[in-house]
Amino acid sequence: MFAGVKEDLAGLEIPQDLMNRIIAHARQEYPLEGCGILAGKGGRIIQFYPTGNTEKSSSCYLMEPEEQVRVFQEIEKEGLELSAIYHSHPHTTAFPSQRDVDYAFYPDSLLLIISLMEKTVPQIRAFQIVKGKIEKKRVKILEEK
Ligand SMILES: [Zn+2]
């Protein structure tokens, strides 16, 4: 067992309006990969922080390091948890690439992938990657009441 892995990571709960903003960011970056950070509590997303992709690539991403540090500090200040790191796949399915697995440095958070392969219907999936092992997690969109 990996030290520090939370037991309650059944999946993510994302309010509809936040999900819309994440998808809008992915579309804005298209045809490049867009990426960013999601913070919340117990898998329920409360804040969304888009970051720059220093790779400027349509097949991989690397979050802008200074922005990433600033966001991590902000999350801690707000008393939230690093729930997920998200990025888009402009041309491929919502499944982690080999590089995504190799670069999964935060095993106690999830990886959310937004595939824009089918432009009108983005595919959204979450995974937990621990020591190279990929496990699919639930994504629940919370409708506004
Ligand atoms: Zn990827």
Side-chain angles (χ1 to χ4, degrees):
M1 195 66 189
F2 194 96
V5 172
K6 288 175 236 153
E7 297 299 325
D8 57 348
L9 274 177
L12 299 175
E13 293 186 343
I14 309 176
Q16 182 76 62
D17 66 319
L18 268 183
M19 195 64 242
N20 291 345
R21 288 165 66 195
I22 296 164
I23 294 168
H25 177 228
R27 285 188 165 139
Q28 183 192 316
E29 296 300 312
Y30 187 92
L32 304 180
E33 286 199 6
C35 55
I37 295 166
L38 301 176
K41 279 192 171 159
R44 183 173 183 143
I45 306 304
I46 296 168
Q47 286 285 359
F48 139 82
Y49 306 91
T51 70
N53 175 4
T54 61
E55 296 286 351
K56 305 239 177 287
S57 161
S58 61
S59 62
C60 65
Y61 75 100
L62 191 65
M63 288 186 288
E64 209 286 300
E66 283 176 20
E67 275 186 84
Q68 189 179 335
V69 170
R70 186 179 48 74
V71 170
F72 281 1
Q73 288 169 344
E74 174 93 13
I75 290 170
E76 205 175 333
K77 204 179 80 192
E78 299 283 325
L80 299 175
E81 294 159 5
L82 170 65
S83 302
I85 289 169
Y86 76 88
H87 70 285
S88 60
H89 279 180
H91 308 297
T92 54
T93 59
F95 193 80
S97 65
Q98 186 56 51
R99 183 181 153 115
D100 291 338
V101 175
D102 294 343
Y103 281 61
F105 299 134
Y106 304 97
D108 52 358
S109 71
L110 299 189
L111 191 72
L112 184 76
I113 303 179
I114 300 104
S115 166
L116 299 177
M117 205 167 69
E118 276 189 68
K119 283 194 187 59
T120 52
V121 191
Q123 195 182 54
I124 293 142
R125 293 214 176 115
F127 303 90
Q128 188 169 24
I129 301 172
V130 181
K131 292 183 174 176
K133 197 173 146 281
I134 302 170
E135 198 180 325
K136 190 170 178 288
K137 298 285 177 173
R138 182 173 57 89
V139 179
K140 190 177 173 198
I141 306 297
L142 304 173
E143 313 256 340
E144 278 151 275
K145 301 235 166 79

